[in-house]
Every structure is written in structure tokens, then in C-alpha cells.
């Protein structure tokens, strides 16, 4: 039996999970006071603070750090890399400490996992960070040489769901063509072609359907006019794209459950906007299916929004089931996905990759 510690830092919490082989034995969400975090100038400065809270929790639960076979952290902002499980090395650590490719709380995952693993003499890993890049060159062409389409998406959950769907179908992931739709605060729709995500919308920077809090793809001329209107600063414009866009901009809430309640009570504006969101998701599933010449084995719906069975899931199924069967994997268990990634390496089912 292999025992694995999973560390998943988020913006205001750190999630910890303990796995014994495929079985979760313990899970804890350590919430961090926003005012406490404001004391740190940079994300990397939170390192000792979060590490000590993890160690305190393990001590309170009577868990000996030396009992772990491996430690895996959530992958942070690195250079674009292929999907897989990566052994943490010095180059990765240096780039995360310096925030070479950007600051994000997930950068702390590898830093903390590495130190704890070194203390007990085991390997430390990350797996499928958001910068996973398997896009075909043709998918990078944007329409103007100044711009290139980038692969930034929910790689960890997309890959985990794709593997789960493959098992459900009794097939090998590397033999299948799948469309995976992650629907949460961000929405990413990935084309999984024989085990590689060869095309996907940039779920972070204004590409794809609008979401509960992001604007998605906008009409460019109108957007340019807004930028030069003098009404908004650069920071405010960026916030309109990510944070204050989508359902928040239209309806003042990013809570899909609240929107559904409004629709059921007769709110026609909420109905139009929400059904417009579903309409955009469906269009993107169609255009991504075309990348595969509509040779699609299955479509997977996942993320927190996939729990919404009043309108969203039924309407998507109704409109795209002619392309391929639709399967629903609501939520997204990042800790389980990380644990299973480490386990595959420990059991030598796949090799650990090196970050170069």
C-alpha cells in the first residue's frame, strides 16, 4: 500500500488530502483569513505560513510525515509543457519562486511538497498544471501574426475526467476522440484526440463561452471602443474580462443556483442571459467537434456547473447528443486527480517526466 500526501493551495485556502492507494483517508480545507494573507507582499512569501499550517494539521491528526510514500502538489504557472506527472526539480522551483511566468497561489504547491519530501527522503511531484500545452500548430493561428492562441485550461480535471470516461467506456484513453467540457468559474472545452488536447479555448484570458464571472470572446470593435473611451483604467478593463464579466455583469451574481431560482420565479432577463450562456457552450462543443471531423466517441460535462440539472445539462444533451453520447461527471476532485497521478508513477504505470 502506498500513502500519498496531496497539497492543493488556492487563493484563500489550502486543501490537503491523504490517500492510501486509490482510497481517500482524510481531506481537510484549511481556510486562510484574507487580512492575514494581505500581510504578504508576494505569493511566494506565504510559503512558510502555509507549510506550517499543513504540518500543524498533520500533527493534530496524529499523522507521521515519514509514513508517506510520495508527496504531490498542485502545479503552478510554468512554461507550456505536455501533460503528465513531473518530478519536482531545481529549475521548476526557481521559476516558481521568482514567479517567472506569473504569480498564483498554485505556485506554492510544488515548493511546499518539495521541502516536505526532502525531509523524509521521498519524491515530490506535480501533475497537469494549467499550462499543459499539447495544441497542434494549426490551432495556434489566431487571425493576426501579433497574436497566438494559447493553451490555458483546466488541464488537471480535464485529463482526470477523460481517463474516467475512458474507463467507463472500457477503452484506452489514447485510442479515443473526446470532447471534455469543464464548466465552473471558467469554462474550457478541450479536444482530446487520442490522448492529447490538440485544441482548447483559453479559459483564462477571454476566449470561449462567457461564464459566471468571465466575459469570454467579445466583439472586438466594441471592446476597442471601450478601451479608448476613457471611462476605465487598464486594471478595470481586465476585471471586466475576468472577475466582473459573464453572469455577474448581466445579473449581479455568479451563483448559478440563484440564477436558476430567478428563472423559475419568472425572471425573463435571467432566462435570456442564462440560456445565452448555454447557447454559447453548445456552439463551442460543435466547433470543437468539427476539429475531429465529428468523429467523436463521447462528450463529457464536468465542473461545478454540471450539477445543474434543471436547464443546463438537459439543454446541452438535447442539442449535442447527435454528435456523440454525453456523460456527466459533476464537480472536480483535484486532490483525487493528483493522488492518482502520483500513484501511476509510483506503480510504474507511467514514467515521471522531467521539467527542462
Amino acid at each position: 500500500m502506498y500513502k500519498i500526501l496531496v497539497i492543493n493551495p488556492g487563493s484563500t485556502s489550502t486543501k490537503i488530502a491523504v490517500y492510501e492507494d486509490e482510497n481517500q483517508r482524510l481531506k481537510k480545507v484549511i481556510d486562510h483569513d484574507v487580512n492575514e494573507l494581505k500581510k504578504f507582499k508576494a505569493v511566494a512569501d506565504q510559503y512558510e505560513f502555509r507549510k506550517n499550517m499543513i504540518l500543524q494539521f498533520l500533527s493534530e491528526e496524529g499523522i507521521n510525515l515519514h509514513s508517506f510514500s510520495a508527496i504531490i502538489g498542485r502545479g503552478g504557472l510554468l512554461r507550456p509543457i505536455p501533460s503528465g506527472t513531473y518530478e519536482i526539480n531545481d529549475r521548476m522551483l526557481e521559476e516558481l519562486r521568482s514567479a517567472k511566468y506569473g504569480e498564483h497561489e498554485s505556485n506554492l504547491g510544488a515548493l511546499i511538497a518539495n521541502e516536505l519530501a526532502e525531509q523524509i527522503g521521498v519524491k515530490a511531484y506535480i501533475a497537469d498544471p494549467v499550462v499543459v500545452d499539447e495544441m497542434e500548430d494549426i490551432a495556434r493561428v489566431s487571425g493576426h501574426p501579433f497574436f497566438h492562441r494559447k493553451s490555458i485550461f483546466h488541464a488537471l480535471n480535464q485529463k482526470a475526467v477523460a481517463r474516467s470516461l475512458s474507463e467507463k467506456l472500457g477503452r484506452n484513453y489514447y485510442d479515443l476522440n473526446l470532447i471534455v467540457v469543464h464548466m465552473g468559474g471558467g469554462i474550457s472545452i478541450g479536444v482530446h484526440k487520442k490522448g492529447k488536447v490538440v485544441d482548447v479555448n483559453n479559459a483564462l484570458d477571454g476566449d470561449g463561452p462567457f461564464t459566471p464571472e468571465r466575459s469570454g470572446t467579445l466583439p472586438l470593435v466594441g471592446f476597442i471602443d471601450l478601451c479608448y473611451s476613457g471611462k476605465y483604467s487598464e486594471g478595470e478593463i481586465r476585471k471586466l474580462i475576468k472577475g466582473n464579466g459573464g453572469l455577474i455583469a448581466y445579473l449581479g451574481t455568479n451563483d448559478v443556483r440563484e440564477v436558476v431560482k430567478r428563472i423559475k420565479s419568472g425572471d425573463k432577463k435571467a432566462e435570456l442571459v442564462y440560456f445565452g450562456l448555454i447557447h454559447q457552450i453548445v456552439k463551442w462543443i460543435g466547433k470543437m467537434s468539427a476539429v475531429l471531423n465529428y468523429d467523436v466517441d463521447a462528450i463529457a460535462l464536468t465542473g461545478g456547473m454540471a450539477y445543474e440539472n434543471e436547464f443546463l445539462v438537459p439543454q446541452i444533451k438535447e442539442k449535442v447528443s447527435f454528435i456523440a453520447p454525453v456523460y456527466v461527471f459533476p464537480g472536480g476532485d483535484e486532490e483525487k486527480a493528483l493522488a492518482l497521478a502520483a500513484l501511476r508513477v509510483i506503480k510504474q504505470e507511467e514514467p515521471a517526466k522531467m521539467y527542462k
Side-chain angles (χ1 to χ4, degrees):
M1 183 181 68
Y2 297 102
K3 193 171 181 179
I4 299 164
L5 174 63
V6 179
I7 300 170
N8 184 0
S11 57
T12 59
S13 69
T14 302
K15 297 177 183 176
I16 307 166
V18 175
Y19 274 77
E20 292 175 351
D21 289 341
E22 296 90 352
N23 304 306
Q24 179 183 295
R25 296 305 183 199
L26 184 67
K27 189 171 183 176
K28 172 71 174 179
V29 179
I30 302 175
D31 292 314
H32 306 304
D33 185 89
V34 174
N35 292 321
E36 185 74 22
L37 296 179
K38 284 181 179 177
K39 297 176 182 177
F40 302 100
K41 291 183 178 180
V43 169
D45 296 337
Q46 300 175 20
Y47 168 75
E48 288 288 341
F49 169 73
R50 296 206 190 209
K51 182 195 73 175
N52 289 336
M53 294 193 77
I54 293 169
L55 290 173
Q56 179 182 340
F57 171 72
L58 293 176
S59 175
E60 290 171 353
E61 293 294 324
I63 298 173
N64 186 345
L65 191 62
H66 287 82
S67 66
F68 290 105
S69 309
I71 301 178
I72 186 164
R74 182 182 176 191
L77 297 179
L78 298 162
R79 66 172 176 77
I81 54 177
S83 172
T85 304
Y86 287 78
E87 185 175 334
I88 297 171
N89 60 21
D90 290 340
R91 178 172 180 175
M92 182 188 296
L93 293 169
E94 177 55 35
E95 291 181 359
L96 292 171
R97 287 192 192 100
S98 65
K100 181 176 180 179
Y101 297 99
E103 277 203 325
H104 192 274
E105 290 76 15
S106 61
N107 290 3
L108 296 166
L111 300 176
I112 298 172
N114 183 72
E115 178 173 330
L116 298 184
E118 283 189 341
Q119 288 181 23
I120 61 176
V122 300
K123 295 290 180 69
Y125 305 98
I126 65 165
D128 289 333
V130 294
V131 294
V132 163
D133 188 349
E134 300 171 325
M135 285 177 68
E136 294 178 340
D137 287 341
I138 197 169
R140 301 182 195 279
V141 180
S142 68
H144 194 285
F146 286 177
F147 307 97
H148 301 279
R149 295 189 66 244
K150 295 179 181 178
S151 175
I152 300 178
F153 69 112
H154 306 88
L156 183 61
N157 192 46
Q158 285 243 358
K159 287 286 185 175
V161 166
R163 291 188 180 97
S164 295
L165 178 53
S166 301
E167 290 178 12
K168 190 179 187 73
L169 297 174
R171 303 274 301 280
N172 189 312
Y173 173 48
Y174 296 95
D175 294 331
L176 291 170
N177 288 337
L178 307 171
I179 301 293
V180 180
V181 185
H182 178 102
M183 302 176 293
I187 294 177
S188 61
I189 301 175
V191 180
H192 295 243
K193 181 180 180 181
K194 311 298 187 206
K196 290 187 177 182
V197 181
V198 297
D199 201 351
V200 65
N201 64 298
N202 181 335
L204 188 65
D205 294 332
D207 182 29
F210 73 86
T211 84
E213 55 193 39
R214 299 176 190 175
S215 296
T217 304
L218 294 171
L220 274 178
V221 173
F223 184 71
I224 293 168
D225 290 342
L226 188 69
C227 289
Y228 285 92
S229 67
K231 296 179 180 179
Y232 302 95
S233 67
E234 179 187 346
E236 289 170 334
I237 290 287
R238 290 183 180 275
K239 196 71 174 175
L240 290 177
I241 296 172
K242 182 181 64 177
N244 289 337
L247 294 182
I248 283 182
Y250 280 111
L251 303 173
T253 181
N254 62 356
D255 189 338
V256 169
R257 293 166 298 183
E258 169 63 22
V259 176
V260 169
K261 285 181 184 177
R262 292 187 195 178
I263 294 171
K264 293 171 75 174
S265 67
D267 187 328
K268 293 301 181 183
K269 180 181 178 182
E271 179 179 305
L272 176 65
V273 171
Y274 189 56
F275 286 11
L277 185 156
I278 297 170
H279 179 73
Q280 289 198 4
I281 292 171
V282 167
K283 283 200 297 185
W284 272 84
I285 292 173
K287 70 189 290 185
M288 289 307 199
S289 298
V291 173
L292 295 168
N293 298 323
Y294 291 95
D295 179 19
V296 181
D297 293 296
I299 298 168
L301 307 180
T302 185
M305 290 174 65
Y307 284 108
E308 201 284 271
N309 283 305
E310 291 281 351
F311 304 110
L312 185 139
V313 170
Q315 286 192 28
I316 293 176
K317 282 185 172 181
E318 179 185 353
K319 293 177 181 294
V320 305
S321 290
F322 77 95
I323 298 173
V326 179
Y327 297 84
V328 184
F329 297 83
D333 194 336
E334 292 180 330
E335 291 72 47
K336 182 178 181 180
L338 288 168
L340 295 180
L343 189 62
R344 287 192 298 272
V345 170
I346 295 171
K347 289 185 171 182
Q348 299 183 335
E349 294 173 1
E350 66 179 55
K353 294 183 176 180
M354 299 302 296
Y355 183 72
K356 299 178 181 178

